[in-house]
Structure formats: C-alpha cells, structure tokens
Amino acid sequence: MTEADSMSTRDVTPWHSVSLEEIATALATDPSRGLSRAEAAMRLGRDGPNWLLIVGAVVAVALGEWIDGGAILTIVALNAVIGFFQEYRAERAVAALARLTAPRARVVRDGHSELVAAKEVVRGDLLVLDAGDLVAADARLVEFSLLRVNEAPLTGESEPVEKSDQLLPPEAALGDRRNEVFLGTSVSNGSGRALVVATGMGTEVGHIAGLLASPTDDQTPLQKRLEVVGRQLLWSCLAVVGLVSALGWLRGTATLELFIGAVSLAVAAVPEGLPAVVTVALALGVERMARRNALVRRLPSVETLGSTQVICTDKTGTLTVGQMTVRRLLMADAVFRVTGEGYGVAGQIFGDDERHAQQQPRDLLWAAAACNDAEIAPQGESFRSAGDSTEVALLVAAAKLGIRREGIEAGEPRIRTLPFDSDRKRMSVVRFRVGEPVAYVKGAPEGVLERCSHVRTSRGVVSLDAETRARLDQAIAQFAAEALRVLAIAERTISDDSLEDIETSLTLLGFAGLQDPPRAEARDAVARCRRAGIRTVMITGDHPATARAIAAELGILGADDEVLVGAELEALSLDALRERVARVAVYARVTAEQKLRIVHAWKARGAIVAMTGDGVNDAPALREASIGIAMGISGTEVAKEASDMVIADDNFASIVAAVEEGRGIFDNVSKTLSYLLAGNLGELALMLTAGLAGLPVPLLPVQLLWINLVTDGLPALALATDPIDPGVMRRPPRPASAQLADGAALRGLLLTGALTAAVAFAAYWFALRGGSDVEAARNAAFSTLVFAELLRSFGARSATRLVHEIGLFSNLRLFAIVTASFLLQLAIHHEAHLARLFGTSPLSLSQCAAQIALACIPLLVLELRKGISRRSGRRPGIRTALAPDLPH
C-alpha cells in the first residue's frame, strides 16, 4: 500500500516480509534521513494525528427488536440503559488503549533527530528507539543493536523479544515478527531505528480498539431463564384470571367482587420477592468472591461464572508464575531438580538419583552468578529484583545454595565484561580469583559448547570428547522438549597475554534449564475443573512448544487433544473452526482477532465461555466472552476495562474458586425460586379451586401480598444465603439451553403447590361448613397457608436430604426468620390495627393447633417423597433444574 492509499481502512501489507528498499519506496521516505519536516506536516494534515480513535463508536448498539403494545416505554428505557453501559464500557476500554500511546517520540527528520508529540508521528517517519522508550507506532526495523522489546501486553510473550532484521514469510504470526516493533510495546534494552508503517487506528493496537467497538450480548444465563419463567407466569396468570372471571360473570357475580378476585389471582401468581432475592444472592456472592480474590465489576456476572462450561485462559502469569525460574541443572554426570517458584526465597536443589543426592552444583551456580548483571535483595518471602529476568532467575537459584552476588563482587572483583550480542550468543565476565584472572561465560548452548575443550565432572576436569558431547547434546534436546530455555555455563583461567581471546578453550561447567513454571495450585485447579465438567483451554501468544509443555504438565492437554497454531487457525472457516474447537486444548501464537474467533466458535456451539487475560490483545475476547476475567496484578488497564471480573492475585485457582461461588449462587437462587414458585402455585390453585367451586375468594389481595412479600419473601432471602454445597464442583455445568422449570421440575412444583392449596382449602371449606362466615373462613385459610409456607422452607433446602439430616440450625438466618414470621402472623390476628388492615380475627389455641397440624402435611408428604425417591435411586423431579443437593 502506497501513501496515496486511503487510511480509512487498515493496511494489511505484510511489512515483515517486504525488503527495506521496497518499504522506503512505498512510503516515499529515506531510511537514513527520514522525512522532511514539510512532508511530515503535509502527511499529518492529510492522514490526521496519531490518535487511537474509533470511527462510528457512538453508533447505537442494536440490542434486539422492539415489541408493540403498552410495554414499549419500559422496554425502550431498559434497552437505553443497557446500551448506555455497553457503549460506556467500550469507550472506557478504548480510552485505556489510547493511554498506551507514548506522549512523545524521537524521530529523524531532514537527517536530524528531534523530539515530537507522539500524535504528530506519521507513516514514513524514522523512529529512534532507546531502552525505556514506549513505541509510538507500528514500524519496521532499519538498524538496531542488542534491541529487545517487551511485547507481553500485545502478544502475551512472557519474555522480552530479541529483534532481528531477517525477512519473514507473509503468514508469520504477530509474536514472530522479530523485524517489527509495535505501538504500545516498550524497549527493554538496546537501541534501534525503525520506519513507521502504521499509526493510530492502522496499528495492531488500533485494530484491537476496532474489535472492542462491536456489540455484545449482556444477558446472563440466569437472566435468560428468568425471562422465560416470567413469560410463562404472565401467560398462565392471564389464562387463570380470564377463566375465573368468565366463570364468575356467567354466574352473575357482582362486578366489584369479580374485580377483587381478578386482582387477587394476579397477586397470587407473581413472586414479588424474587427480584430482591436474586439481588441479595448476587450481592452476597460478590462479597464472598472478594474474599477469594475475585473482584466483580458487573453483578450478573457472578451467576454467569456458575454456568461456565469452557474457560479459555491465558498462560503467562495465570497458569504460570509469570517469572522465569531455573527448574533443572545439568552437569556432565549429574542432573539436578530445583524447587521453588519464581523469585521466591523458598526452594532447594536435589540430585535426580541417589548417586548425586549429596552432590551440589555449586561451581555451576557460582559461575552463573558471577557472569551476571542483575540484582536481587530479600523482601519478605521473595526477592526484589532488577535486571534481565533470565539473569534474575540464575541469581535466585544460586541463592538457594547461599551464593550471593555481593559476596562474589567482594571476593572476585570484576575486570572486564563482554556483553551478550545476537552474533556471539554469549556473555563473558572476567574477574580476579585468588590472584589470577578467570573468565565466566554463559549463553546459548550452540554459542558456548563449540568453544569448550574440557568439562568438569565429579572426578575433576577432563577432556570434552565426542562421546560426552553427544550425551550432552541429547540431554539438551530433552530439556528443549520440556520447553526449558537452556543456557550453557563455562569458565576459563586465563593469563594476561590471552585477555583478548578469552572465549576459547573453555571448561564446561554445565547447563541451566529455565522456564516460567506452572503455579503449584494451577494443576489442582485444572483437575477441579475437569471433575466439574468444565473444559480448560489455553490460549497464548507464546511458542507452541512452550505452550504444549506447560499444558501437558498441568493436565490441560490430553492424549486426544490438539494444539493449534495461529497460522493454522487463520486458514479455518468459521464452520470448520466451530467443528474443530472442541478437540483443541491449546492455541499458540494467536492474535487478538483469532482469540475473538475462538470465543465465537465456542459460543456458536452453545457454550457459556469464560475468557481470562491480561494483555491488550486479550481485550476484545474478554468483552465478547460470556464472562471476561482480567488479571489484577499483571493486567493492563485495557483488559480490566473490557472485563466483567478482575482476579486480584492473577491466579487460575482463584478463577476456579469464583466458579464454585457462582455455582453455589445459582443453586441458592434456584432453590429460592422453586420455593417461591411452589408457593405462588399453591395460592393460585387455592384461588382457582374456590372460583371453580363457586365459593367467595378465600384470600384478599392484601393477604396475598403479605404472604408473597413477608412469609414467602423473607424465608426466600434466608434460603439465598445457604452455605455452598461442597460437592458443587463434582457435577457437570448446566447446559446453556436448560430451563429453570423443565417437565420434571414442573411436576415437583405442581405437587408442592397442590399440597399447599389442599390444606388451605380444607381449612377454608371446613370453616364454611361449620357455620363460620366468609371472614372467619378466610381467617383460617390465611393462617394455614402462611404456616404451611413457613414450615415448608426447611424442606426446600435440599431435594434429597431430610430436614433432620440437614439440621434446623445449620442456617440460623432461616430459623430466625421462620420464628419471627410465625410471631408476626399471630400478631396480625391479635393486634387490633393489624387485624383491621388484613381482615383477620383472633385465633384460639385449639384453632392455632389445628391449623399448624394441617400446615405440617405438605412438609411431611414432601419429606416422605424424598425418602422413597432416595431408596429407589431416583431424585424428586424438582431437583432436575431447581434445587441443589446439600452434602451427605
């Protein structure tokens, strides 16, 4: 693409595969003198400033079709609020992306270096890069020296990337484009110059910003299920009200009484306490999750976690420690394991077999610490560090044998340093040791081993023969197969006249195998997910070999699972990816758009997907996933703004704990909903039975409202606080298509409602048959129904365990609320003002005893049903979708 091309669309030219001469021609620039000031000003005016802007970000998000009728104003208002928050969250995420842009940048114009505002950088500019700089645009490297760039926020690469000028194939993944630098990344060390090929929205970060602008579906599984239940209740209510009203009209019932009956039925059908119950359950879940390092940014996401079927997780810092660690040490005749994670103080070094149990690789680690420019200092249970992460890891390993760099510097003063470079692939430090110079050398095995003539063994220094080299090469290959980064370490005692040629005739001391290791608790967390029926998928920008090794060690990658690289994924159609996605456990070298495709493919299969991440490249997928989970420590502000939840300790185990909380919350909401709906069905059945029998309404609207809000609502709130079932992570997740009330659940609800209605109607009918007036009969039906509902709440806690097995006092809130509600109900009958308000009269001791006895019948029958079902190996129907089990 030339400068004449429009900047309104993203440039997809594979600049990493184009020669510098062709790039300079396409951009009409000079790779040594840069643009002229006049040309830069012209391009700035033509293409606009280097801002991160979203074209059309203010266009309204389509959230669904409007429905006609009287409810349209409510729906419009609700959708406006949802739309506002969707756009607000997207804009905040984009604003966070904009803050990645360097405020100022150094460029070469007219052959002279000058500092300009980053927004004034244009395509064709020649960027000057130094250690600590934030890269101001996407650019192709022209020249460099020891240049390493931290691309973790963009690609997920855990280590700074060493840059090169090698031409790459057009299909090279973003993380493999070593001859380019990208907006928002930072220079770790070295220097360089690069031709700007993209600015603003044309950059890789700009492309991510564009992905963030796409709309998402913000409804959680519970919201969708409640919406279905709500519609079912609405139509059922209308049908019953219509039937009873029609019967009353045919009988010639007075208009006022007909109206009271219709209102009473409407009140009976609606569980008024449900919104409060759901809100309280979710709020309590937020509090519990915060104690387990999960910070919720959107309340409904608490429940979504409990429905999660797939967790797509980043590798670096989430499944792994996020710090390079020496894990294995290899000497000529011994192999050692190094325990401890990251920069932690704890850890030991063990020989791999009994022969080397007492041997220690002290000389090897002394040399690794002596040839080192990093620094560490104890700080609590870990080391505070400064310098290259690989060198820090070597110092931490040496410290486990009591070797500290301060001691080395005091005992062996440094004479000279030959810094690492990409041609030699090694670094050397010369020190005085006991009055004579010693060179300590470390680097890539191929850069050090070829310079070695001898090797140190447990028997002393011997010649490095072909057989030993072959054996060491095999061991190095094994380390590499385990995704360990291997460094060779050697030394040489030298004379003054050979200082100019210190990296020859070296004595090999051994090798260090380094890796960003899996967190100790991550393996157990992955296993818990597997037992819970949750698929864990690793998605990383890291190298496939590293991803494969870590995934296998954690138990993510099974024998039949696949590893898919970004380039292969790019070639798949949406249908092909949707078919294949269930078999892939690891994705490596993927881009932001490819992460988004993975989420789309899982959602197309009907899965509820949680996506974790910390980098800029994770943000679009975080926003698109059913629930996006950002990392609190390593996470970029962009990722946090795009997420629904932030994990404070960056730990995968905390994510699994949050899933457990989410399942417990859904269980509590479900059991509460079943309790409320069964109560409403009982009230509705009572009203319908009386209407069909031609009897006056057995309950007044105010009495029904009292039942729904107080004697039903308060116990329901207590049920929402039930402790989480410890076995909640040993059952599979709910299918996304599962309804709150399927056939078996409805049968259970109908039975419960019928029993409650039967005892209340019995009290009402016997009172009328005994000569009592309608008010006295209503008095009996009212109190019996309330007592039955309160007692039934104890049995609603489990669909399989009996009340005496659960214990009355295992939920003290419920016990206190039931007791208080009993007393309140008695007060309604005996306090004059309340009695007048609710249309009640005092209860005698015998009446109260008889009504409580009747009220016990539903609870006893349901408990008997639990016992019979348990002995027959079946569960009561209500368990299927609504009520969870408590632990045995």
Side-chain angles (χ1 to χ4, degrees):
M1 180 177 283
T2 66
E3 278 298 298
D5 292 323
S6 170
M7 288 292 290
S8 61
T9 58
R10 180 170 174 251
D11 186 354
V12 293
T13 303
W15 297 109
H16 52 279
S17 65
V18 181
S19 70
L20 286 173
E21 293 75 16
E22 292 174 297
I23 293 174
T25 301
L27 298 176
T29 188
D30 187 322
S32 59
R33 294 180 54 83
L35 297 171
S36 67
R37 293 184 179 88
E39 177 67 14
M42 186 277 292
R43 294 186 184 190
L44 183 65
R46 183 190 66 195
D47 299 334
N50 183 27
W51 288 123
L52 200 59
L53 300 176
I54 295 290
V55 178
V58 296
V59 177
V61 178
L63 296 173
E65 299 179 359
W66 307 121
I67 60 172
D68 53 2
I72 189 144
L73 291 179
T74 302
I75 294 173
V76 168
L78 178 62
N79 280 344
V81 170
I82 294 173
F84 169 77
F85 279 107
Q86 272 195 307
E87 292 187 18
Y88 176 65
R89 289 174 64 222
E91 287 167 6
R92 287 188 63 181
V94 172
L97 272 172
R99 287 192 284 276
L100 284 174
T101 307
R104 300 176 74 78
R106 185 168 293 279
V107 298
V108 175
R109 288 179 180 169
D110 287 325
H112 300 287
S113 173
E114 59 183 72
L115 205 61
V116 300
K119 66 179 180 179
E120 296 175 6
V121 173
V122 298
R123 296 177 80 210
D125 259 329
L126 184 61
L127 278 181
V128 180
L129 304 170
D130 287 300
D133 285 353
L134 201 61
V135 181
D138 287 2
R140 169 68 186 278
L141 286 167
V142 174
E143 60 183 67
F144 58 91
S145 174
L146 305 177
L147 184 64
R148 299 179 76 191
V149 179
N150 177 15
E151 297 180 352
L154 184 62
T155 67
E157 183 76 53
S158 55
E159 287 293 294
V161 176
E162 184 180 341
K163 292 299 179 178
S164 75
D165 57 2
Q166 183 180 359
L167 279 180
L168 301 168
E171 66 273 11
L174 186 63
D176 292 328
R177 297 176 193 172
R178 301 300 176 96
N179 57 12
E180 286 188 90
V181 291
F182 303 100
L183 171 69
T185 61
S186 58
V187 179
S188 298
N189 57 271
S191 59
R193 293 188 174 194
L195 282 176
V196 174
V197 296
T199 62
M201 289 302 293
T203 63
E204 293 294 334
V205 169
H207 180 53
I208 292 172
L211 296 176
L212 282 170
S214 59
T216 60
D217 179 8
D218 270 353
Q219 271 201 316
T220 71
L222 180 60
Q223 288 172 324
K224 293 174 182 177
R225 291 177 176 118
L226 288 176
E227 187 177 288
V228 172
V229 171
R231 284 198 299 269
Q232 292 171 342
L233 280 175
L234 174 63
W235 291 111
S236 300
C237 175
L238 290 175
V240 173
V241 167
L243 175 62
V244 173
S245 298
L247 290 173
W249 179 75
L250 289 173
R251 292 193 184 102
T253 306
T255 303
L256 179 60
E257 188 175 348
L258 205 60
F259 175 75
I260 291 174
V263 171
S264 299
L265 284 169
V267 171
V270 179
E272 290 86 355
L274 183 58
V277 167
V278 173
T279 302
V280 167
L282 294 179
L284 288 173
V286 168
E287 183 182 346
R288 286 200 299 264
M289 284 183 177
R291 291 198 293 267
R292 301 180 76 171
N293 293 311
L295 310 177
V296 176
R297 300 182 69 242
R298 291 178 61 246
L299 194 63
S301 63
V302 175
E303 177 273 329
T304 308
L305 265 177
S307 305
T308 299
Q309 297 162 310
V310 181
I311 299 178
C312 296
T313 177
D314 193 22
K315 176 184 71 68
T316 306
T318 306
L319 293 168
T320 64
V321 176
Q323 297 172 336
M324 289 298 285
T325 306
V326 176
R327 303 196 73 188
R328 306 285 291 279
L329 294 168
L330 171 66
M331 296 178 67
D333 52 3
V335 180
F336 300 89
R337 289 179 295 108
V338 184
T339 64
E341 295 178 358
Y343 302 160
V345 172
Q348 294 178 288
I349 299 175
F350 300 96
D352 257 10
D353 56 49
E354 293 183 2
R355 290 178 301 155
H356 309 115
Q358 303 304 317
Q359 187 179 350
Q360 290 291 348
R362 188 173 184 82
D363 290 346
L364 174 61
L365 288 175
W366 180 279
C371 184
N372 204 305
D373 288 326
E375 295 181 5
I376 62 172
Q379 187 177 47
E381 296 181 355
S382 63
F383 288 104
R384 186 177 68 253
S385 65
D388 180 80
S389 61
T390 299
E391 293 198 325
V392 170
L394 292 171
L395 289 183
V396 171
K400 292 171 182 177
L401 291 183
I403 300 171
R404 302 295 295 273
R405 231 194 86 188
E406 308 92 87
I408 294 175
E409 296 293 347
E412 298 184 3
R414 185 181 297 215
I415 302 173
R416 183 179 179 184
T417 300
L418 297 180
F420 177 89
D421 68 52
S422 56
D423 292 328
R424 290 167 43 247
K425 296 183 179 180
R426 57 186 176 269
M427 167 190 178
S428 297
V429 173
V430 181
R431 297 180 179 275
F432 266 122
R433 183 175 72 186
V434 196
E436 60 182 355
V438 175
Y440 296 106
V441 183
K442 76 172 190 293
E446 64 271 23
V448 175
L449 200 54
E450 64 183 12
R451 297 272 174 157
C452 293
S453 58
H454 293 76
V455 60
R456 178 165 294 174
T457 70
S458 57
R459 302 183 305 277
V461 177
V462 299
S463 178
L464 182 57
D465 55 31
E467 182 183 348
T468 305
R469 284 180 185 272
R471 184 161 42 81
L472 290 174
D473 284 341
Q474 187 177 5
I476 293 169
Q478 180 58 39
F479 274 23
E482 296 172 12
L484 296 175
R485 180 186 178 190
V486 184
L487 287 179
I489 299 163
E491 68 175 16
R492 180 193 174 194
T493 302
I494 56 179
S495 57
D496 292 340
D497 59 0
S498 63
L499 278 175
E500 297 305 315
D501 193 19
I502 63 175
E503 294 177 339
T504 58
S505 301
L506 300 174
T507 296
L508 180 67
L509 299 177
F511 303 88
L514 301 95
Q515 189 183 62
D516 176 14
R519 290 179 180 267
E521 61 274 26
R523 175 185 285 274
D524 179 63
V526 170
R528 292 187 70 204
C529 283
R530 192 183 304 109
R531 288 194 297 270
I534 300 171
R535 179 69 184 271
T536 304
V537 178
M538 179 192 290
I539 304 179
T540 179
D542 226 334
H543 194 278
T546 304
R548 180 188 293 273
I550 295 293
E553 185 171 350
L554 288 172
I556 293 174
L557 185 66
D560 298 326
D561 292 327
E562 299 179 11
V563 177
L564 192 63
V565 180
E568 298 174 288
L569 190 156
E570 190 67 29
L572 296 176
S573 67
L574 179 59
D575 288 340
L577 180 59
R578 183 170 60 240
E579 188 277 328
R580 191 173 176 183
V581 73
R583 303 196 302 272
V584 179
V586 178
Y587 297 87
R589 284 289 192 253
V590 294
T591 65
E593 195 161 10
Q594 288 167 349
K595 290 186 178 187
L596 201 56
R597 290 189 68 204
I598 294 166
V599 172
H600 283 153
W602 273 113
K603 292 178 77 173
R605 294 177 66 93
I608 297 171
V609 186
M611 171 73 187
T612 77
D614 54 7
V616 173
N617 59 328
D618 297 321
L622 287 175
R623 186 167 176 268
E624 177 63 25
S626 309
I627 178 165
I629 306 169
M631 301 297 107
I633 298 174
S634 62
T636 60
E637 190 177 353
V638 181
K640 292 175 185 176
E641 290 294 344
S643 69
D644 304 293
M645 180 178 295
V646 177
I647 298 298
D649 61 353
D650 287 17
N651 197 331
F652 185 76
S654 296
I655 298 169
V656 179
V659 171
E660 182 180 30
E661 291 287 346
R663 286 193 173 190
I665 289 162
F666 186 90
D667 280 355
N668 285 347
V669 170
S670 297
K671 75 170 71 168
T672 301
L673 180 60
S674 73
Y675 173 74
L676 289 173
L677 289 180
N680 286 108
L681 283 173
E683 296 160 31
L684 203 59
L686 173 63
M687 303 298 291
L688 181 59
T689 302
L692 292 174
L695 300 174
V697 291
L699 295 173
L700 297 173
V702 68
Q703 293 172 337
L704 287 165
L705 199 59
W706 169 263
I707 295 169
N708 286 356
L709 291 179
V710 182
T711 55
D712 276 0
L714 292 179
L717 287 173
L719 286 173
T721 68
D722 244 5
I724 294 176
D725 175 6
V728 75
M729 293 297 284
R730 292 195 293 270
R731 61 178 189 241
R734 299 174 304 280
S737 58
Q739 298 300 320
L740 278 173
D742 61 10
L746 283 174
R747 287 192 294 273
L749 290 174
L750 289 172
L751 173 62
T752 306
L755 288 169
T756 308
V759 296
F761 185 78
Y764 181 62
W765 188 76
F766 280 118
L768 289 176
R769 286 289 302 270
S772 300
D773 57 17
V774 172
E775 285 72 19
R778 283 176 180 155
N779 198 54
F782 181 35
S783 56
T784 301
L785 187 60
V786 167
F787 294 153
E789 288 294 293
L790 292 175
L791 290 170
R792 191 173 59 81
S793 67
F794 291 118
R797 295 182 61 196
S798 172
T800 58
R801 297 189 67 197
L802 304 179
V803 171
H804 75 274
E805 293 172 333
I806 301 170
L808 288 177
F809 303 107
S810 56
N811 186 335
L812 289 175
R813 290 188 186 91
L814 179 62
F815 184 82
I817 283 174
V818 170
T819 302
S821 297
F822 257 99
L823 295 175
L824 282 173
Q825 184 63 28
L826 293 174
I828 283 176
H829 288 277
H830 293 274
E831 204 282 321
H833 296 292
L834 291 175
R836 191 161 46 252
L837 175 64
F838 287 97
T840 58
S841 57
L843 294 173
S844 66
L845 187 59
S846 60
Q847 287 175 324
C848 187
Q851 289 162 13
I852 290 176
L854 270 175
C856 287
I857 293 174
L859 175 62
L860 294 174
V861 172
L862 292 172
E863 291 291 285
L864 180 62
R865 181 172 179 255
K866 285 183 194 178
I868 294 171
S869 297
R870 197 161 67 184
R871 282 195 294 273
S872 64
R874 294 181 296 104
R875 290 183 174 184
I878 200 170
R879 170 67 185 92
T880 303
L882 296 176
D885 289 330
L886 288 173
H888 287 273

